[in-house]
Amino acid sequence: MKTIIAACSQNLSGSRASIQTALRTLLAVPWPSQRDIGSALQLLAVLQWVLSFLLLGTVSLLLFIYLLFTSLWLIPVLYLAWIIFDWDTPEKGGRRLPCLRRWTVWKHFRDYFPVKLVKTHDLSPSHNYIIGSHPHGILCVGAFCNFITGSTGFEELFPGIRSFLTTLAGNFRLPVFREYLMSGGLFPVTRRAIGYLLSQKGTGNAVAIVIGGAAESLSCRPGVTTLILKNRKGFVRMALRHGAFLVPSFSFGENDLFRQVVFEEGSWMRSIQWRFQKTMGFAPCLFYGRGLTSCRSRGFLPYARPITTVVGEPVAVPKVENPSRELVDQYHELYIRALLKLFNENKTKYGLSESDELHIL
């Protein structure tokens, strides 16, 4: 009996010693610093955003189709009925949730790059505006962060101005994804939706349009500043019809977030990209960024490069219900001049050299 008690005592002593050793080892491990925690939160904020925009629409559609062939078929049927009933909402103001604009995660998203908004001129709340956002880049990070989230202080820099951002109309046909986009304040880039924002919401509205669109993303790569703008005049016609002032903006650093495999003009891969873009509305780009675990590995996350979005001087536009082609061309030229002035006055401040030029195709 004494032998058993002694053995148990020895085992307990050994276990206690092992626990104490484990605790000392654990305490000796350096705890994550506040900077490490901040970096992790920034990475997670960017990860959720990238996954949402790249996968949420496709995954939701596949899940929707799958549920139709299960015992839960009633759920997608009822949701489909809701979409039919709610079909025109994206083009009639949507369902913007202001609380999402102030979501703390967007501050971590902003700090990852970081993203900064620079004001050069005041915007009067007594007018409406169409803000041209350049360049498109791969995922329009600068446009999203500045005009959809409140993390860069748009409303503080431009008091009395409400900012909106347009995106592909096809995105609002995808289940669940359409709700996600509308809650954030995104709208279809259609005449009807833009016209509603500029005519039915009073004044003080600024509709941001990434004018180069999907076609411009095909030429996106570091060190290249090429815009698709020369024949993009629909936004000028809309501005004239509603008397909305035109405001150029340029996001310096947008093209540095990813590396893209660029196919030469005339190649069969380039031809496939153009045909896909014309049919589907977006271009299939072959790009890569950093990995999840290391900035030295390759993955689908953007590189941490600073983005500075500079908002330029507004071009005053008269209200003309049926503007002529000559009038549209005139204000289109004025807009391009304002954009070039904005670019040349700020390029050396935000990472470009004096010799860099803005190429407009």
Side-chain angles (χ1 to χ4, degrees), residues 4-5 22 37 78 82 95 100 107 136 139 179 187 190 196 228 238 277 316 320 325 330 335 354:
I4 295 175
I5 294 174
I37 295 174
L78 291 176
W82 161 252
R95 281 187 296 275
L100 289 185
K107 295 181 180 179
H136 182 284
L139 294 179
E179 319 300 339
F187 296 86
T190 62
Y196 183 91
I228 306 296
M238 287 294 297
Q277 185 262 321
V320 181
R325 179 180 298 179
Q330 175 186 340
Y335 175 82
E354 187 65 40

Side-chain angles (χ1 to χ4, degrees), residues 273-334:
Q273 286 179 314
W274 278 111
R275 291 177 182 177
F276 193 94
Q277 185 262 321
K278 289 181 178 180
T279 303
M280 302 300 295
F282 65 94
C285 302
L286 297 179
F287 66 90
Y288 65 89
R290 59 156 292 178
L292 181 60
T293 57
S294 171
C295 60
R296 297 182 182 86
S297 61
R298 291 188 179 184
F300 56 88
L301 295 179
Y303 292 108
R305 303 286 187 269
I307 303 173
T308 304
T309 301
V310 185
V311 179
E313 181 179 4
V315 177
V317 176
K319 185 174 182 179
V320 181
E321 187 170 345
N322 293 304
S324 64
R325 179 180 298 179
E326 292 75 16
L327 190 62
V328 171
D329 289 343
Q330 175 186 340
Y331 280 93
H332 185 262
E333 180 62 29
L334 290 175

Side-chain angles (χ1 to χ4, degrees), residues 18-236:
S18 299
I19 294 173
Q20 290 174 347
T21 302
L23 287 174
R24 282 196 294 269
T25 303
L26 180 62
L27 293 174
V29 176
W31 288 87
S33 65
Q34 188 173 359
R35 182 178 179 180
D36 293 334
I37 295 174
S39 297
L41 290 175
Q42 292 168 15
L43 192 63
L44 289 174
V46 173
L47 176 64
Q48 66 82 26
W49 180 79
V50 171
L51 291 178
S52 296
F53 273 84
L54 293 182
L55 297 179
L56 182 58
T58 303
V59 171
S60 298
L61 179 61
L62 293 176
L63 180 61
F64 183 87
I65 296 173
Y66 169 75
L67 290 177
L68 285 173
F69 299 95
T70 69
S71 58
L72 300 175
W73 61 269
L74 186 59
I75 295 176
V77 168
L78 291 176
Y79 183 68
L80 179 60
W82 161 252
I83 289 180
I84 295 173
F85 173 79
D86 195 53
W87 191 258
D88 291 334
T89 298
E91 296 187 325
K92 292 184 176 180
R95 281 187 296 275
R96 185 174 184 171
L97 298 179
C99 60
L100 289 185
R101 185 180 178 89
R102 299 187 296 268
W103 201 15
T104 304
V105 72
W106 300 131
K107 295 181 180 179
H108 298 302
F109 179 87
R110 171 201 65 195
D111 294 339
Y112 170 84
F113 298 97
V115 182
K116 181 182 179 183
L117 181 64
V118 176
K119 167 185 172 181
T120 61
H121 292 78
D122 291 329
L123 298 182
S124 171
S126 60
H127 298 289
N128 285 325
Y129 303 89
I130 290 181
I131 300 177
S133 180
H134 310 274
H136 182 284
I138 297 294
L139 294 179
C140 305
V141 173
F144 176 85
C145 192
N146 288 297
F147 302 127
I148 288 299
T149 80
S151 61
T152 56
F154 183 93
E155 294 179 349
E156 289 73 26
L157 287 173
F158 302 100
I161 304 296
R162 297 175 296 276
S163 61
F164 305 90
L165 180 63
T166 59
T167 185
L168 291 174
N171 289 331
F172 295 89
R173 305 301 179 235
L174 297 173
V176 180
F177 193 46
R178 69 190 295 273
E179 319 300 339
Y180 175 79
L181 294 176
M182 282 194 292
S183 65
L186 285 100
F187 296 86
V189 61
T190 62
R191 293 180 181 179
R192 185 182 181 189
I194 297 172
Y196 183 91
L197 293 173
L198 296 177
S199 63
Q200 304 296 322
K201 290 278 189 176
T203 59
N205 302 299
V207 181
I209 304 174
V210 186
I211 298 170
E216 194 172 274
S217 65
L218 294 178
S219 59
C220 167
R221 58 185 184 273
V224 176
T225 47
T226 300
L227 304 182
I228 306 296
L229 179 59
K230 188 174 292 185
N231 295 317
R232 300 287 174 103
K233 300 179 181 179
F235 72 102
V236 178

Side-chain angles (χ1 to χ4, degrees), residues 114 116-121 250-253 256 306-312 341-356:
K116 181 182 179 183
L117 181 64
V118 176
K119 167 185 172 181
T120 61
H121 292 78
F250 195 92
S251 294
F252 293 92
D256 298 330
I307 303 173
T308 304
T309 301
V310 185
V311 179
K341 179 183 177 183
L342 176 71
F343 177 82
N344 290 324
E345 289 180 349
N346 292 277
K347 61 184 179 182
T348 58
K349 299 177 185 177
Y350 305 114
L352 299 179
S353 66
E354 187 65 40
S355 60
D356 285 321

